[in-house]
Amino acid sequence: MAAPVLHTRLPGDGAASASAVKTLGASRIGISDMLTAENNFFNSPPRKIVRFGGTVTEVLLKYRKGETSDYELLKNQLSDPDIKDDQIINWLFEFRSSIMYLTKEFEQLISILLRLKWLNRSQTVVEEYLAFLGNLVSAQTVFLRPCLSMIASHFVPPRVITKEGDIDVSDSDDEDDNLPANFDTCHRALQIIARYVPSTPWFLMPILVEKFPFIRKSERTLECYVHNLLRISVYFPTLRHEILELVIEKLLKLDVSASRQDIEDAEEIAAQTSSGTDAMEGLFNMDEDEETEHETKADPERLDWMVHPVAERLDILLSLLLSYIKDVCYVDGKIDINKTKDLYRDLITIFDKLLLPTHASCHVQFFMFYLCSFKLGFAEAFLEHLWKKLQDPNNPAVIRQAAGNYIGSLLARAKFIPLITVKSCLDLLVNWLHIYLNNQDSGTKAFCDVALHGPFYSACQAVFYTFVFRHKQLLSGNLKEGLRYLQSLNFERIVMSQLNPLKICLPSVVSFFAAITSKYQLVFCYTIIERNHRQMLPVIRNTAGGDSVQTCTNPLDTFFPFDPCVLKRSKKFIDPIYQIWEDMSAEELQEFKKPITKEVLEDEDDDFLKGEVGITPSSYDTHFRSPSSSVGSPPVLYLPDQSPLIARICD
């Protein structure tokens, strides 16, 4: 297994947390000692050496006069792959004394010096090389970019050539045990350069963007590079926003390349294959159980591996980002409000630029979910920010609808948001819906149309979705007061309006909303649902297998941003603060399994409906999620020969 660069800290892992903080803060510890050692090298005189052809200074001056033989000899000696440590030290001493002559005309010579394999050598070589870099950029700033590019190239495992038959294959050396020490040295080099050239961060950022590995590179390569980027943001705080934006942009590319369904399918297939293999091997090996148990104990990290290759990369990088967020916001185990505010400002700007316009990303947005869990004030600020996006008519409809999706998903899934905040948000949303309806009553656009009223339907779905998840809490304690509050929201007017939100919202959300509101006599939705079902015209599509009849049941193109996280490492950060769907009690389960009959619906004397929608609550959290595709069918199926009253969620 590759040597760890950063031990991703998981919740409750105090030792790992301290390790991560120490790693990220390494650039701030012992700087005075580092500068003292550096000054010793800057102030030390060059060693006296004897060399045929004269000193480096003489060679450079001869080159300017047109005598190139000694210059070519010098380049050849520096390019020798078997060059020794003592030779490098001697050369670097001389170059330091000749630094004023190393102008742009000697760019080729500097390029050779920057390609020297100076890492993984003696400490004396490393220190001398760092001193040379400091001298070079301070005297000849024209070489600043090449120096920074050289350092950034060492933020990933080095390339090694391996023989496969008669073919040379280049691959990254993920097993290099010296990587952490090399990374420390590279960060030290950046800080030395920045000491002499204050504009270093400005020149560095474009190089970091250019050097970012292709997202299909190995997990180890991506992990190393992202870890080093995040570490740079610690001692170059002016670059933090740009670095975080770069990292999140790359995460987003990975995220949209691996749907939740693809990830779950890969895990399921792997589990079935593994169990089948174990069963077969067990027939012939009586000690297999002991060996398997031993292997699992010996390599517990194997349990966190994702089978899907893109999901594995995404999980490693997202868990790294979440660990970084925790390390920045918490100092000695206590939240630092000012630091968290600064980070929140950076992340909310990036969220607006990258996440909000991106449809159906599955996991990257959990960095905002996680940050908001640190203190209620940040969750409320995020909700207010989304609320402003939703109600602002100057925003594009797609942005307003996405904001509505985020509001509903956050209110439903965030365990750290208290009931009083949920009520406040419901009041805001419902009040806005009523005002919207007031403005439509006298207009010519008071009819069901997603293109005209998309934000309205998105807000309706946010309300319905939140109500489905939180109705037990809203009614807990004093049932009478809870019902009075829900009645004050006047769901009936929204549902019965000419805009007909029940026709546009996801059938899965509508079915549960209808069942729960009917049970508590808040609003009766089934007549409208049945009417909408009769009006839904099937669409005949020609496919490779013949004609198929499909019904668009997601006209709003809805997705729930905070559906359950399926990434094994990242979900350890999210699970403690995440609200899953609570299974019904045995009595409630029996009620929900009973389909509604028309006789029950026509009985006006019943206080509560004895049967609601034919559903399986235990499977709800698996299927009551974003549709598998942007316009695909959601979990609820309305069969042509059945009433929507007995619609069911299919496994």
Side-chain angles (χ1 to χ4, degrees):
M1 181 174 296
V5 174
L6 174 67
H7 295 286
T8 302
R9 177 185 42 71
L10 301 176
D13 188 351
S17 175
S19 173
V21 173
K22 181 178 180 181
T23 303
L24 286 171
S27 58
R28 296 173 290 179
I29 298 175
I31 290 181
S32 60
D33 295 336
M34 178 190 74
L35 294 178
T36 301
E38 174 202 341
N39 287 332
N40 291 337
F41 273 94
F42 278 118
N43 298 328
S44 61
R47 291 182 181 179
K48 294 182 180 180
I49 57 174
V50 178
R51 184 177 298 110
F52 294 104
T55 64
V56 170
T57 301
E58 293 172 346
V59 172
L60 299 179
L61 291 176
K62 285 181 181 180
Y63 179 80
R64 287 182 174 177
K65 294 177 181 179
E67 300 178 18
T68 61
S69 58
D70 289 343
Y71 180 73
E72 294 299 326
L73 177 62
L74 175 61
K75 291 196 301 181
N76 290 334
Q77 289 177 330
L78 289 172
S79 302
D80 183 3
D82 298 323
I83 190 170
K84 306 299 182 184
D85 286 9
D86 288 341
Q87 292 175 296
I88 294 177
I89 293 170
N90 288 337
W91 285 120
L92 292 176
F93 267 125
E94 281 211 39
F95 276 108
R96 282 176 53 201
S97 65
S98 308
I99 209 75
M100 60 185 298
Y101 299 106
L102 292 173
T103 55
K104 188 172 177 57
E105 62 183 309
F106 297 107
E107 186 174 4
Q108 191 177 17
L109 180 61
I110 295 299
S111 177
I112 294 174
L113 286 169
L114 294 179
R115 290 199 301 269
L116 273 176
K117 296 186 180 299
W118 60 285
L119 294 169
N120 292 333
R121 290 188 179 269
S122 67
Q123 188 62 28
T124 306
V125 172
V126 171
E127 296 294 340
E128 185 58 37
Y129 197 88
L130 293 176
F132 165 72
L133 290 177
N135 281 169
L136 181 63
V137 298
S138 61
Q140 307 290 348
T141 54
V142 69
F143 296 119
L144 176 62
R145 289 179 186 270
C147 289
L148 296 177
S149 182
M150 178 273 296
I151 294 171
S153 67
H154 290 297
F155 284 152
V156 295
R159 307 294 295 181
V160 293
I161 304 297
T162 57
K163 281 279 188 182
E164 291 189 6
D166 296 331
I167 303 174
D168 291 339
V169 178
S170 175
D171 196 5
S172 59
D173 184 10
D174 294 344
E175 304 296 330
D176 188 351
D177 293 334
N178 294 320
L179 280 179
N182 291 345
F183 293 156
D184 289 343
T185 303
C186 290
H187 288 291
R188 185 178 163 200
L190 284 180
Q191 292 173 83
I192 289 174
I193 291 174
R195 179 185 174 200
Y196 292 98
V197 185
S199 59
T200 293
W202 189 83
F203 289 95
L204 177 62
M205 194 61 219
I207 294 172
L208 296 178
V209 174
E210 178 188 348
K211 293 287 185 180
F212 201 104
F214 182 55
I215 58 173
R216 297 291 182 177
K217 289 288 186 180
S218 70
E219 296 88 353
R220 180 66 167 167
T221 297
L222 291 168
E223 179 187 13
C224 289
Y225 196 80
V226 170
H227 164 252
N228 284 304
L229 286 183
L230 296 176
R231 186 168 169 183
I232 289 172
S233 72
V234 174
Y235 56 83
F236 287 159
T238 56
L239 292 183
R240 185 172 73 181
H241 182 277
E242 293 177 84
I243 287 175
L244 288 173
E245 183 176 331
L246 174 61
V247 171
I248 292 171
E249 179 185 5
K250 299 300 182 180
L251 283 173
L252 197 55
K253 288 183 178 180
L254 288 169
D255 199 3
V256 297
S257 302
S259 68
R260 179 179 281 103
Q261 190 62 50
D262 289 343
I263 297 173
E264 291 178 332
D265 289 347
E267 292 293 329
E268 183 178 353
I269 292 172
Q272 292 174 354
T273 304
S274 176
S275 61
T277 303
D278 290 346
M280 289 298 295
E281 291 180 353
L283 295 175
F284 304 100
N285 188 352
M286 299 298 291
D287 299 326
E288 183 65 25
D289 292 338
E290 295 180 5
E291 292 179 5
T292 303
E293 183 180 357
H294 175 73
E295 290 174 2
T296 303
K297 290 182 179 179
D299 191 9
E301 291 185 8
R302 190 181 184 88
L303 298 175
D304 290 335
W305 288 357
M306 302 294 299
V307 177
H308 196 291
V310 177
E312 174 70 1
R313 296 180 181 92
L314 177 62
D315 192 17
I316 290 173
L317 299 187
L318 182 57
S319 61
L320 199 59
L321 177 62
L322 296 177
S323 181
Y324 168 83
I325 291 172
K326 183 66 176 289
D327 291 332
V328 169
C329 297
Y330 279 79
V331 178
D332 297 329
K334 295 181 180 179
I335 188 170
D336 187 314
I337 297 298
N338 292 328
K339 288 184 178 181
T340 309
K341 283 182 180 178
D342 292 340
L343 183 61
Y344 173 83
R345 294 187 188 100
D346 285 338
L347 292 179
I348 197 67
T349 305
I350 297 169
F351 173 84
D352 285 347
K353 182 178 179 179
L354 299 179
L355 272 299
L356 201 55
T358 302
H359 177 71
S361 59
C362 298
H363 293 100
V364 179
Q365 57 267 23
F366 273 103
F367 72 82
M368 285 303 303
F369 190 93
Y370 185 59
L371 178 64
C372 289
S373 70
F374 293 167
K375 197 171 182 63
L376 178 59
F378 295 108
E380 293 177 341
F382 186 43
L383 285 167
E384 182 179 2
H385 179 80
L386 294 169
W387 164 241
K388 290 178 179 178
K389 293 283 185 184
L390 173 63
Q391 67 171 344
D392 186 357
N394 295 318
N395 286 325
V398 65
I399 298 296
R400 299 175 68 188
Q401 290 172 214
N405 293 336
Y406 272 95
I407 290 174
S409 196
L410 184 64
L411 290 175
R413 294 294 194 172
K415 192 182 291 186
F416 50 85
I417 295 182
L419 188 60
I420 188 172
T421 303
V422 174
K423 283 186 174 181
S424 298
C425 291
L426 285 177
D427 289 340
L428 276 175
L429 288 167
V430 171
N431 185 55
W432 183 79
L433 292 175
H434 286 302
I435 294 174
Y436 192 95
L437 291 175
N438 291 340
N439 296 334
Q440 296 298 320
D441 284 345
S442 58
T444 59
K445 299 179 180 179
F447 55 89
C448 182
D449 191 324
V450 176
L452 291 175
H453 309 295
F456 170 82
Y457 294 123
S458 182
C460 286
Q461 184 152 269
V463 171
F464 299 163
Y465 189 70
T466 302
F467 172 76
V468 167
F469 265 84
R470 298 280 193 164
H471 73 278
K472 286 186 178 180
Q473 297 177 38
L474 291 168
L475 295 170
S476 63
N478 191 324
L479 180 61
K480 187 176 294 185
E481 287 188 7
L483 288 173
R484 188 179 297 116
Y485 167 74
L486 292 176
Q487 289 167 355
S488 71
L489 298 178
N490 195 2
F491 285 147
E492 184 174 5
R493 186 193 178 210
I494 298 172
V495 168
M496 302 291 182
S497 70
Q498 292 181 332
L499 300 188
N500 194 2
L502 296 185
K503 185 176 182 179
I504 301 300
C505 294
L506 277 178
S508 53
V509 177
V510 170
S511 296
F512 273 85
F513 178 78
I516 298 169
T517 52
S518 296
K519 177 178 181 179
Y520 294 105
Q521 294 188 333
L522 297 172
V523 60
F524 187 73
C525 304
Y526 291 113
T527 303
I528 299 174
I529 293 175
E530 189 169 1
R531 183 186 66 199
N532 291 337
H533 173 56
R534 289 196 297 266
Q535 293 175 351
M536 292 176 70
L537 298 177
V539 178
I540 300 178
R541 296 182 180 177
N542 188 282
T543 64
D547 294 340
S548 63
V549 179
Q550 298 182 0
T551 304
C552 180
T553 52
N554 185 23
L556 196 56
D557 210 13
T558 297
F559 77 104
F560 301 119
F562 299 119
D563 276 349
C565 177
V566 297
L567 303 177
K568 295 178 182 178
R569 300 173 184 85
S570 302
K571 76 193 305 288
K572 294 180 181 179
F573 292 87
I574 303 303
D575 281 354
I577 55 176
Y578 190 78
Q579 178 65 54
I580 61 173
W581 174 253
E582 296 179 358
D583 289 341
M584 305 284 180
S585 65
E587 182 178 346
E588 290 174 317
L589 186 59
Q590 291 302 318
E591 281 190 6
F592 272 74
K593 284 184 177 179
K594 296 177 183 177
I596 286 185
T597 62
K598 291 186 177 180
E599 289 77 10
V600 173
L601 295 177
E602 292 169 357
D603 187 0
E604 297 179 353
D605 295 331
D606 283 353
D607 289 337
F608 297 98
L609 297 176
K610 299 303 181 184
E612 296 168 323
V613 186
I615 55 178
T616 307
S618 60
S619 65
Y620 174 77
D621 202 42
T622 303
H623 298 286
F624 188 26
R625 300 181 184 175
S626 307
S628 57
S629 62
S630 58
V631 292
S633 298
V636 175
L637 299 181
Y638 289 102
L639 303 180
D641 58 342
Q642 291 185 354
S643 165
L645 304 184
I646 54 174
R648 61 190 179 87
I649 291 184
C650 299
D651 292 331

